[in-house]
């Protein structure tokens, strides 16, 4: 019987720069404001910058394809663009590509590849990468189950003010999973 599951990252907020940001909707600085909706002009800018090899734009455009924002929804194209940005070391793209491998969206499901990509993002201090990797250690999917490592990673995400890292860390302490019950 698995311990109580960690809360999934999709759709939850994190704190940063004095305002709440959504982990799955965080956009490149200067690309678009969280206060306005994305426009087709934003997508055109992403397309131009992505063609120039700019990782942030490739990642943003990949998200547009994944969600069907002002383009036809296309998981294969989202994976292709995330892979281009991830190959440049862009942590968000590594994390998003890892999620595609975890879920089998646009690629064959591959827990080991998901873990590899989450590790790359986590090593750069990307909180969502740390959270996703912690979850893999917690459940033992794609990596050996290791509650202490899950707690360590949740702490790293929590220390950045990432709400889901804080929530999952609190849950570990509440249950005494990987740490002394507190």
């Amino acid at each position: 019987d698995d311990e109580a599951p960690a809360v999934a990252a999709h759709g939850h907020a994190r704190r940063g720069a004095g305002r709440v940001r959504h982990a799955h909707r965080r956009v490149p600085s200067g690309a678009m404001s969280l206060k306005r909706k994305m426009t087709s002009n934003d997508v055109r800018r992403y397309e131009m910058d992505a063609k120039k090899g700019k990782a942030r734009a490739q990642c943003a455009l990949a998200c547009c394809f994944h969600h069907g924002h002002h383009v036809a929804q296309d998981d294969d194209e989202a994976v292709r663009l995330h892979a281009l940005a991830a190959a440049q070391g862009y942590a968000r793209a590594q994390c998003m590509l890892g999620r595609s491998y975890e879920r089998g969206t646009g690629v064959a499901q591959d827990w080991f590849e998901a873990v590899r990509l989450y590790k790359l993002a986590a090593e750069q201090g990307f909180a969502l990468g740390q959270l996703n990797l912690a979850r893999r250690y917690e459940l033992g999917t794609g990596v050996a189950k290791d509650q202490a490592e899950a707690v360590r990673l949740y702490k790293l995400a929590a220390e950045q003010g990432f709400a889901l890292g804080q929530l999952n860390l609190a849950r570990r302490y509440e249950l005494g999973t990987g740490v002394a019950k507190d």
Side-chain angles (χ1 to χ4, degrees):
D1 188 11
D2 284 338
E3 301 295 332
V7 177
H10 187 75
H12 294 278
R14 77 174 189 150
R15 296 213 175 266
R19 69 176 189 243
V20 173
R21 294 179 186 227
H22 296 279
H24 71 291
R25 293 187 183 157
R26 191 166 180 213
V27 295
S29 60
M32 64 178 244
S33 167
L34 292 174
K35 294 181 182 178
R36 71 174 176 85
K37 291 188 179 203
M38 182 185 304
T39 67
S40 56
N41 286 335
D42 293 319
V43 175
R44 280 193 291 278
R45 268 194 308 276
Y46 296 150
E47 287 172 335
M48 289 186 304
D49 286 345
K51 286 178 185 174
K52 294 176 186 174
K54 294 184 179 181
R56 286 179 135 192
Q58 290 166 336
C59 187
L61 186 58
C63 290
C64 293
F65 277 104
H66 177 72
H67 295 289
H69 293 302
H70 298 283
V71 295
Q73 196 280 334
D74 185 343
D75 285 328
D76 292 336
E77 183 64 4
V79 166
R80 185 186 75 78
L81 289 162
H82 275 140
L84 289 172
Q88 295 180 61
Y90 192 58
R92 177 167 170 65
Q94 291 166 336
C95 191
M96 296 294 93
L97 185 58
R99 183 177 285 168
S100 292
Y101 277 102
E102 178 181 326
R103 295 178 177 173
T105 306
V107 292
Q109 187 177 41
D110 184 339
W111 290 106
F112 300 104
E113 183 63 6
V115 166
R116 185 186 75 77
L117 289 159
Y118 291 152
K119 281 182 181 178
L120 292 172
E123 288 167 358
Q124 293 183 63
F126 191 65
L128 185 56
Q130 293 164 340
L131 181 91
N132 289 342
L133 184 57
R135 181 81 170 130
R136 297 304 104 226
Y137 277 108
E138 181 183 341
L139 299 175
T141 47
V143 68
K145 195 176 215 179
D146 185 340
Q147 297 300 326
E149 182 64 4
V151 168
R152 186 187 76 78
L153 288 159
Y154 284 137
K155 279 182 184 177
L156 290 173
E159 288 168 355
Q160 294 184 60
F162 191 54
L164 287 173
Q166 295 166 344
L167 179 64
N168 284 297
L169 181 60
R171 190 80 173 135
R172 300 302 101 207
Y173 278 105
E174 177 185 20
L175 297 172
T177 308
V179 293
K181 193 172 184 176
D182 186 8

